[in-house]
Amino acid sequence: MTWLRRRGQWPVGLVAVASAALALSACGQGGSGDGASGGREARYKRVIEDPHPRPADVIEAAGAPTAVVRADDGSLLLTYDAGNVEDDEGPAATAWRIVGPDGRTVAEHAEHGDAEAVPAAFKGVPGGFVRVPQEGAEGAYALDVHGKRHKVTVSGTPLRTRPGDILLAEREPALVYRPATHTVAPPARLPDDAVRLAVDERGTAWSLDQPLAEGTDRVVRQRDGRTLGSTAVPRPYAGGVLAARGGAAALSLTRDDGVRGLLVTTDGGGHWRTVLDGRIPWRDLKGGPESLILEVLADGRLLVGEEGGRYWLADDRTDRAFHELKTPAGFTSLTVDGTTLYGIADATTATYDLVSGEGLWTSHDGGREWRRYEQRG
């Protein structure tokens, strides 16, 4: 069941702001927002059990978004998830909210579900957002920046990646979205043993080729169905997480179930180098290779970190040395859009209470200054 409304369609007085949840957090550092855990617990339970939840109620219960993505006009889509606290089964509620470049709510939507379901995820695209399908290409649709839903074409015919294509799903199966034709399809001519994929704005598909039999991992780059080149992962390392943008690409190097460095190019794959230090204490990373966060800013700098842990940003676009970011709260996730950093402070599991600093934080200067994100209405 769903609940949807857009600005201009609501009765006066029903407009809710996401900062309500942030105000609750400010009232009690690391505890319940209203000073009475029972009161918040009761409201939380009502929300996840409601067959027709209001978006504002889901957002308040969740306390912080699970993810944020940005469209090309600066609009943001924030997703929220309130799950069953006592068990990994039972009722749940999800919501999304679109906020315009002026910080005002444009549209929002909520659904009742169950705690075992995978919450909806989106990617920012020109003109709006595309829902990431959960199984195959089915379930993908587009939202414009006003919250209006649009159909996308799901094609089984592989697309030769070209400029403007956007990676929707990396694996099982890999899918790209072509904004010009509103088409979702698998990318063409990927290596048979490709286990990782990144597509940059130039239309270059970067894949990690990991042979099942004995062999060396390789990073392969293609465009428009043509192979441009490949680079062997230096022994004794294996490839991990892959990221690419604007001619820069990076692959995490793993060994003995840990991340030990990076394989980096800043000239479109012409030259590669290994970064085994860079002032990042690789052996102190505790989350394992799968929890690594690796992203490329629009200016070519790399962001490295791990979920719920520490983060490092390259000093410059050569990506040779990094400095640790100081964050205003313990972030459970940190993402990049352009050169803007979006950090989310949240509990790691469903809880009635809020954690210290809970909510969305933004930085436009490489993490030197952070601001708590608040809407205008």
Side-chain angles (χ1 to χ4, degrees), residues 24-99:
L24 286 173
S25 178
C27 292
Q29 292 289 321
S32 63
D34 55 6
S37 181
R40 179 170 172 80
E41 178 179 335
R43 293 198 306 274
Y44 190 102
K45 287 182 175 179
R46 284 198 299 270
V47 168
I48 65 173
E49 292 170 358
D50 189 344
H52 308 283
R54 290 174 6 111
D57 294 337
V58 177
I59 290 168
E60 180 182 346
T66 54
V68 55
V69 293
R70 189 171 70 183
D72 58 340
D73 76 335
S75 296
L76 300 180
L77 187 149
L78 299 93
T79 51
Y80 298 83
D81 180 30
N84 192 20
V85 174
E86 285 85 3
D87 199 349
D88 57 0
E89 299 178 349
T94 61
W96 55 255
R97 172 176 279 170
I98 294 176
V99 182

Side-chain angles (χ1 to χ4, degrees), residues 341-366:
L341 306 179
Y342 294 97
I344 294 174
D346 196 5
T348 55
T349 58
T351 176
Y352 300 124
D353 294 335
L354 303 175
V355 300
S356 179
E358 183 153 344
L360 174 65
W361 297 79
T362 63
S363 175
H364 301 286
D365 59 4

Side-chain angles (χ1 to χ4, degrees), residues 220-367:
V220 180
R221 60 188 190 279
Q222 299 169 298
R223 188 184 303 136
D224 197 26
R226 298 181 296 107
T227 298
L228 304 178
S230 68
T231 300
V233 174
R235 292 183 178 275
Y237 304 103
V241 179
L242 182 64
R245 181 176 182 137
L251 175 76
S252 63
L253 300 175
T254 66
R255 185 183 184 188
D256 300 327
D257 296 325
V259 179
R260 297 293 178 257
L262 300 172
L263 180 65
V264 178
T265 180
T266 57
D267 62 359
H271 302 85
W272 294 81
R273 66 175 182 278
T274 56
V275 178
L276 302 180
D277 182 5
R279 299 200 298 263
I280 298 176
W282 299 104
R283 293 186 179 274
D284 290 347
L285 300 183
K286 301 175 181 178
E290 292 301 320
S291 69
L292 188 79
I293 294 172
L294 180 61
E295 297 204 44
V296 187
L297 278 67
D299 58 14
R301 289 179 295 166
L302 291 176
L303 173 72
V304 180
E306 57 181 349
E307 296 173 358
R310 301 158 66 186
Y311 303 92
W312 292 265
L313 182 65
D315 294 342
D316 54 46
R317 65 185 61 193
T318 64
D319 297 319
R320 295 179 182 274
F322 295 74
H323 61 273
E324 185 170 359
L325 294 180
K326 294 181 179 179
T327 60
F331 289 163
T332 48
S333 68
L334 182 60
T335 57
V336 171
D337 193 297
T339 56
T340 301
L341 306 179
Y342 294 97
I344 294 174
D346 196 5
T348 55
T349 58
T351 176
Y352 300 124
D353 294 335
L354 303 175
V355 300
S356 179
E358 183 153 344
L360 174 65
W361 297 79
T362 63
S363 175
H364 301 286
D365 59 4

Side-chain angles (χ1 to χ4, degrees), residues 174-196:
L175 295 169
V176 294
Y177 173 69
R178 180 160 293 169
T181 58
H182 308 290
T183 301
V184 174
R189 298 184 179 178
L190 286 182
D192 292 337
D193 295 323
V195 296
R196 294 283 187 176

